[in-house]
Amino acid sequence: MSGPLIVLVGPMGVGKSTVGRLLADRLGVGYRDTDDDIVAEQGRSIADIFVDEGEPAFRAIEQRAVRTALAEHEGVLALGGGAVLDADTRALLAGQRVVYLSMDVEEAVKRTGLNAARPLLAVNPRKQWRELMEARRHLYEEVATAVVPTDGRTPEEVTEAALDALELKEA
């Protein structure tokens, strides 16, 4: 199998970055986040890209970033919350070890405060988060090798559950 050892997907605020770094440390591999790649390449925040160019332009940038990362990175890779919306991205994830980190809306509120820095949640965050999840949950599940609930768990507990789900051993 080529590509990343593990790919993390899930909604914004679920802990992909935190758990991804812990997994990488535990497995002795590198960590990469496509959102970080986009910010570095574009020289501005994702929120600014959304405001300046709109969601379709951002999704095109994101799709290229995901394709590049899947081809280049061999460690733990975290994808942005909406990356699975792209059919080509979902096709590229076939055959990869993909962990869907899941959470319910109450956990999302606790973790993110559903703040305005999240461009897709600017108005009525709880309602919008639920709608986003209704649109995306089946896509996360479609690409997932394993689903790991994060509700009420520490990042360390989620990391352990992901390792167990994938039957991976630490370095």
Side-chain angles (χ1 to χ4, degrees):
M1 180 174 84
S2 64
L5 182 60
I6 301 173
V7 179
L8 298 176
V9 300
M12 58 189 86
V14 75
K16 295 182 297 286
S17 297
T18 302
V19 170
R21 286 185 186 93
L22 288 170
L23 282 167
D25 287 347
R26 298 266 303 262
L27 294 167
V29 298
Y31 169 75
R32 185 168 176 175
D33 184 318
T34 57
D35 282 351
D36 293 343
D37 291 352
I38 292 166
V39 170
E41 177 199 302
Q42 296 290 312
R44 57 196 166 140
S45 72
I46 289 171
D48 285 346
I49 298 168
F50 264 84
V51 169
D52 296 344
E53 298 182 38
E55 185 175 357
F58 171 76
R59 295 295 173 209
I61 294 166
E62 179 178 54
Q63 198 271 345
R64 288 191 307 272
V66 170
R67 178 181 296 278
T68 299
L70 285 170
E72 294 176 354
H73 189 66
E74 296 180 351
V76 177
L77 178 64
L79 304 187
V84 297
L85 295 170
D86 182 77
D88 291 337
T89 294
R90 292 193 308 276
L92 289 171
L93 291 172
Q96 298 287 334
R97 276 190 202 98
V98 180
V99 175
Y100 162 32
L101 299 180
S102 68
M103 71 177 167
D104 68 21
V105 71
E106 296 313 316
E107 189 79 6
V109 169
K110 279 192 266 183
R111 290 189 192 185
T112 67
L114 295 180
N115 62 37
R118 311 265 184 191
L120 292 178
L121 301 178
V123 179
N124 195 346
R126 282 177 192 250
K127 178 176 182 273
Q128 287 180 296
W129 194 89
R130 280 192 184 96
E131 288 172 1
L132 280 176
M133 284 308 298
E134 285 170 18
R136 296 177 181 179
R137 182 175 290 109
H138 71 284
L139 300 175
Y140 293 136
E141 291 170 349
E142 175 187 322
V143 301
T145 307
V147 178
V148 176
T150 64
D151 303 272
R153 287 175 146 173
T154 67
E156 292 76 14
E157 290 168 334
V158 173
T159 299
E160 192 64 39
L163 289 170
D164 288 349
L166 295 175
E167 299 180 355
L168 288 173
K169 302 296 176 220
E170 293 179 48

